Amino acid sequence: MIITLVDDTDLSVPGKGQQVRTYELYSRVARKAEVRLVTQGASHPERLAWASELRVVRPLPGRAAAWVGGISSLARNNGGYQRL
């Protein structure tokens, strides 16, 4: 089974609170399924080794991101993705 997870934070940087809970949840899911992670940043991609595929999406600047819908409006194809 393949699951695509979309997150708008940099999960590769240690955080606290909700970010830690999200990281733990995603890494547990990766034990049961192949996880494709789509995120807006990955400063330390080696810390996301549990993701079988990592895609970093560069958000549009300012109002353009709000108008287009930000990371939640990604196209189904690879348009806009930058593969690491």
Side-chain angles (χ1 to χ4, degrees), residues 38-69:
V38 179
T39 184
Q40 287 187 7
S43 303
H44 304 283
E46 67 278 2
R47 294 182 184 163
L48 302 172
W50 47 261
S52 63
E53 188 174 340
L54 180 61
R55 294 182 180 192
V56 176
V57 177
R58 303 292 177 211
L60 295 170
R63 290 185 178 188
W67 181 74
V68 173

Side-chain angles (χ1 to χ4, degrees), residues 9-51:
T9 62
D10 185 351
L11 291 175
S12 68
V13 176
K16 57 184 177 179
Q18 184 61 44
Q19 185 180 15
V20 170
R21 289 188 291 277
T22 300
Y23 181 91
E24 290 172 355
L25 173 65
Y26 288 1
S27 61
R28 280 191 305 239
V29 168
R31 294 180 199 155
K32 305 287 183 184
E34 182 179 333
V35 172
R36 293 179 181 163
L37 179 62
V38 179
T39 184
Q40 287 187 7
S43 303
H44 304 283
E46 67 278 2
R47 294 182 184 163
L48 302 172
W50 47 261

